Amino acid sequence: MHVKRFAAAKPYDAPNHRGVVGLRLQGFEPGGPANQWVGLSQFLPGGGAGPDSTPFEKVYVVIEGEMTVIVGGQEIVLGRYDSCTIAPGEIREIVNRRNDVCTMLVVIPYPPGVKP
């Protein structure tokens, strides 16, 4: 078992993100997960990411607030405990259109060739 306390989580900057603070909860460390990493993202009102894509899938889980996810011109609003999977290469944009912070868990596989 690998335990990492919330107080030990380190911030990270995600490319093409705005109005967000990301904390790495698990991953990229000895003894941590072998296949993916887990982040906690806190999006301020108006904060978001994209539009862009990655070569690997990602999973978003809204913990608090709401997040609008835009894929292929379709907009879906995710609320508390709602989740979605973004496929590899799928262009997405996410936007917090509310006046409170949106907190999301993000699960992403390691990029090819990267091992913790």
Side-chain angles (χ1 to χ4, degrees), residues 1 9 13 27 32 36 40 46 49-50 64-65 69 80 82-84 86 89-90 92 100 103 110 114:
M1 176 168 56
D13 290 323
Q36 71 281 322
L40 182 76
E64 289 292 333
V69 181
R80 188 174 186 196
D82 291 341
S83 61
C84 71
I86 304 296
E90 190 169 51
R92 65 83 182 102
D100 52 353
T103 303
Y110 293 124
V114 173

Side-chain angles (χ1 to χ4, degrees), residues 1-4 26-36 110 115-116:
M1 176 168 56
H2 176 73
V3 175
K4 185 173 181 183
Q26 288 278 336
F28 295 101
E29 67 224 353
N35 301 306
Q36 71 281 322
Y110 293 124
K115 291 292 181 188

Side-chain angles (χ1 to χ4, degrees), residues 11-95:
Y12 67 92
D13 290 323
N16 202 21
H17 283 57
R18 59 200 175 277
V20 62
V21 174
L23 295 172
R24 184 164 289 117
L25 300 181
Q26 288 278 336
F28 295 101
E29 67 224 353
N35 301 306
Q36 71 281 322
W37 63 276
V38 180
L40 182 76
S41 297
Q42 300 168 1
F43 290 88
L44 295 174
D52 59 11
S53 67
T54 61
F56 34 83
E57 72 180 6
K58 7 179 190 304
V59 175
Y60 297 139
V61 182
V62 174
I63 304 302
E64 289 292 333
E66 289 184 355
M67 182 61 70
T68 300
V69 181
I70 307 161
V71 174
Q74 180 183 13
E75 295 190 13
I76 301 293
V77 177
L78 299 178
R80 188 174 186 196
Y81 304 135
D82 291 341
S83 61
C84 71
T85 300
I86 304 296
E90 190 169 51
I91 297 173
R92 65 83 182 102
E93 182 174 9
I94 57 175
V95 182

